[in-house]
Amino acid sequence: MNPKNWQLSFFRREQRSLFGEILDWMLTPLLLLWPVSLALTWLVAQGLANKPFDRALIYNAQALAQLVKLSPDQQRVQFNLPQPASELLRADDADLVYYQVIGPKGEILGGDRDLPQPQEDEKLGSYEVKIRDDEMRSLEVRVAYTWVQLASDKSPVGMGPVLVQVAETREKRSVLATEIIKGVMLPQFAILPLAVLLVWLALVRGIKPLSELEERIRARKSDDLSPLDEKAVPLEVAPLVSSVNDLLGRLKDSIATQKRFLADAAHQLKTPLAGLRMQADLAQRKDASEEELKHSLKQIGRASVQATHTVNQLLSLARAEGGGAIDLQSCDMEALVSEVLHDSLPRAMDKGLDLGYDGVDTDSKRRFLKVQGNPTLLKEMIRNLVDNAIHYTPSTEERIGVITVRLLVDPYSQALAVQVEDNGPGIAAAERERIFEPFYRALGSNVDGSGLGLPIVREIAQRHGATVSVDVAHPGQTPPGACFTIRFARASNKFKTNMASGSADL
């Protein structure tokens, strides 16, 4: 296996299901929070279970503290616990209860010696009860303790504090906490699967519009490029549907362009190909003379040139009408115009035309001659204007045809314009818009042409954000001539007027 292919297959991300992705992100937090809920419930249950038993423990400690008295001679501390009270204190079926009374000198006045004492810094005020957790005989116990301060007549300060403690094991508390947890957790075991089921059903219902959208798209015919209904989908899916509609619109335009190109190609190639076939049939006649054969071959050559020109024009129009983005770069219009004029000069000289160039005259204007565009398309645009002028401008000994290509710059708006002016028959005002339609040719022109040059010019100009206009080159003269202007930016009124009159003085 190719190592490169292995790396690509290794790092290729597995296709994920949107339904599964959403389900994972919804159930994973739920399942992770469930153990946390168990832990919190356990802590809350422990607190709830401690409260009632702690109150009973505090009551017992206070009751024992009341039994601590001074002896009649007020020289010592006495603790007398009646037998019924002792039996009642220890009467607990679930837990073991311990108590302890320690005198001022540390002597045991009653109870269990093994019960641990609190820290010295935990001494409280008289009869103030506090609760702590401790351990006795390897058993966890809950201890309530208080300090009793006794004062005698002989010693108002007292004989020192007496420690009273009552402790019990935690069996009842554990049982109660367990019951609380069971009461809370057992319903969750039934609710959790129900919650998962409801989440699954909600997701199924939530993505149903996507399934319906998929069904509507699959049910469409292959030639149905109408936009999808954005109002029939949720708001979150509307941007996706809008993007699909935009793609369908561009695809529809592209298909329409291809169909128009095929129709135009079939229409335009039909005539020259029919002529080729007719001339070939004439040349193959047995009784054809040598002059007739030469004439047929000449017509065949002319028809083939016309067909080649038509095909090239159709390909240029198809390239100009392409819906894709064009490769933009900085283009020097002066250099592009010079290349076009250099290529077109032999044809102009063969027809006896005066082909000239009128460029900018200052360096301050020359720096605005660069535009962002595709150099191939821009040259095609200028070449079609120049070829159109060469094609339709007559030249005789009495009146020589003159074609001038200009570059105009407005230093205020930084607008750039390309003009192609001639002294030919001109274009009637009623036809100045129609000449940019494919295959349209001005009435009264006896010159062969495909009618595609000017549509190519307008299409390329529009793709570069420019506009094309045609005006009279020499008002009041006969013939008036024509002046085509391509503007690459919005120019001022003065600039438009000067360009229309053919003046380069801004």
Side-chain angles (χ1 to χ4, degrees):
M1 186 176 182
N2 192 333
K4 184 177 181 180
N5 295 336
W6 177 85
Q7 292 177 359
L8 291 176
S9 61
F10 180 78
F11 289 104
R12 185 182 296 115
R13 184 178 179 180
E14 183 181 356
Q15 188 176 10
R16 297 294 302 273
S17 166
L18 178 62
F19 181 87
E21 191 84 13
I22 299 176
L23 192 63
D24 289 346
W25 280 103
M26 293 186 69
L27 294 183
T28 299
L30 181 62
L31 297 177
L32 290 178
L33 289 175
W34 190 59
V36 177
S37 175
L38 286 177
L40 293 177
T41 303
W42 171 261
L43 294 177
V44 172
Q46 291 292 331
L48 293 175
N50 281 330
K51 285 183 179 180
F53 298 110
D54 284 349
R55 284 196 294 268
L57 203 59
I58 292 173
Y59 173 79
N60 292 335
Q62 291 174 341
L64 292 182
Q66 297 296 329
L67 299 177
V68 177
K69 306 286 184 182
L70 287 175
S71 62
D73 58 1
Q74 297 187 358
Q75 297 295 320
R76 56 192 180 85
V77 178
Q78 294 179 344
F79 174 74
N80 296 318
L81 179 64
Q83 186 64 28
S86 176
E87 294 177 356
L88 182 63
L89 182 65
R90 297 181 182 272
D92 195 320
D93 297 335
D95 286 309
L96 299 176
V97 179
Y98 309 96
Y99 72 94
Q100 182 186 69
V101 180
I102 300 178
K105 298 180 181 180
E107 69 276 17
I108 299 295
L109 299 181
D112 301 280
R113 295 179 176 273
D114 298 337
L115 187 62
Q117 298 184 19
Q119 301 294 328
E120 290 296 330
D121 56 354
E122 292 184 358
K123 288 187 178 181
L124 308 173
S126 182
Y127 297 104
E128 182 181 355
V129 182
K130 192 173 182 181
I131 300 291
R132 76 175 191 274
D133 291 322
D134 216 322
E135 185 176 326
M136 179 178 176
R137 298 170 186 169
S138 301
L139 296 175
E140 292 184 356
V141 292
R142 188 80 166 165
V143 183
Y145 61 97
T146 183
W147 300 87
V148 180
Q149 185 73 40
L150 298 176
S152 63
D153 297 336
K154 297 180 180 180
S155 178
V157 178
M159 304 176 62
V162 177
L163 175 62
V164 178
Q165 297 188 105
V166 179
E168 70 176 359
T169 55
R170 305 176 63 92
E171 186 65 27
K172 294 192 300 292
R173 304 166 190 265
S174 299
V175 172
L176 180 58
T178 303
E179 293 298 326
I180 294 175
I181 292 175
K182 287 181 180 180
V184 174
M185 287 298 140
L186 288 180
Q188 290 191 14
F189 282 103
I191 292 175
L192 186 61
L194 181 60
V196 173
L197 177 61
L198 292 177
V199 168
W200 186 84
L201 293 176
L203 283 179
V204 171
R205 179 65 183 88
I207 67 173
K208 189 176 181 180
L210 295 180
S211 302
E212 294 175 352
L213 177 62
E214 177 191 1
E215 292 175 0
R216 291 200 301 270
I217 295 176
R218 289 185 180 275
R220 285 190 165 209
K221 296 181 180 180
S222 58
D223 57 346
D224 184 5
L225 297 179
S226 60
L228 301 171
D229 187 6
E230 297 183 21
K231 297 181 179 179
V233 297
L235 292 176
E236 293 77 9
V237 188
L240 174 62
V241 175
S242 177
S243 301
V244 173
N245 288 339
D246 180 65
L247 176 62
L248 290 176
R250 287 184 278 123
L251 181 61
K252 185 177 181 179
D253 293 340
S254 177
I255 293 177
T257 301
Q258 292 179 3
K259 289 182 178 179
R260 185 169 63 250
F261 173 77
L262 293 176
D264 295 343
H267 175 75
Q268 291 299 308
L269 293 177
K270 184 185 300 182
T271 300
L273 292 179
L276 283 173
R277 181 175 179 180
M278 183 184 68
Q279 294 298 330
D281 292 340
L282 291 175
Q284 291 177 0
R285 291 182 305 169
K286 293 182 179 180
D287 56 346
S289 63
E290 183 177 353
E291 291 185 0
E292 291 176 338
L293 181 60
K294 289 182 178 180
H295 178 74
S296 297
L297 292 176
K298 184 177 181 181
Q299 293 297 324
I300 290 174
R302 182 179 177 182
S304 64
V305 171
Q306 183 181 357
T308 302
H309 177 71
T310 301
V311 170
N312 290 334
Q313 290 289 79
L314 286 170
L315 292 176
S316 298
L317 181 61
R319 183 168 60 249
E321 290 181 342
I326 59 177
D327 183 18
L328 297 179
Q329 61 187 68
S330 180
C331 302
D332 188 346
M333 293 301 296
E334 191 172 33
L336 296 180
V337 170
S338 298
E339 292 182 22
V340 172
L341 292 178
H342 182 272
D343 296 339
S344 303
L345 187 59
R347 285 189 58 213
M349 294 178 64
D350 290 343
K351 290 192 62 175
L353 296 171
D354 182 5
L355 179 61
Y357 169 66
D358 186 5
V360 296
D361 54 355
T362 60
D363 292 339
S364 61
K365 295 180 181 179
R366 188 170 286 109
R367 61 194 179 95
F368 298 125
L369 293 179
K370 293 185 180 295
V371 298
Q372 289 294 320
N374 184 280
T376 303
L377 293 179
L378 291 176
K379 283 176 61 178
E380 187 71 22
M381 177 183 65
I382 301 171
R383 180 178 288 106
N384 275 277
L385 283 179
V386 175
D387 288 346
N388 186 75
I390 294 175
H391 208 59
Y392 290 96
T393 302
S395 182
T396 62
E397 294 182 358
E398 294 78 13
R399 181 182 177 84
I400 298 176
V402 179
I403 301 173
T404 304
V405 181
R406 294 190 183 92
L407 286 178
L408 304 177
V409 173
D410 182 6
Y412 300 104
S413 64
Q414 301 181 5
L416 171 66
V418 180
Q419 278 188 344
V420 178
E421 179 187 291
D422 62 61
N423 61 349
I427 300 172
E431 296 184 332
R432 290 177 187 173
E433 281 298 322
R434 298 199 63 187
I435 59 175
F436 293 102
E437 298 176 3
F439 310 115
Y440 180 81
R441 299 179 64 228
L443 296 176
S445 61
N446 298 321
V447 183
D448 293 335
S450 63
L452 293 173
L454 294 181
I456 293 173
V457 171
R458 169 169 283 187
E459 190 66 35
I460 295 177
Q462 290 177 349
R463 297 200 68 186
H464 287 80
T467 59
V468 185
S469 61
V470 57
D471 299 287
V472 177
H474 308 288
Q477 298 183 13
T478 304
C483 179
F484 289 87
T485 304
I486 302 174
R487 296 178 176 88
F488 283 91
R490 186 181 298 276
S492 63
N493 293 332
K494 179 182 177 182
F495 183 46
K496 292 180 180 179
T497 303
N498 289 337
M499 289 191 296
S501 63
S503 172
D505 185 10
L506 300 180

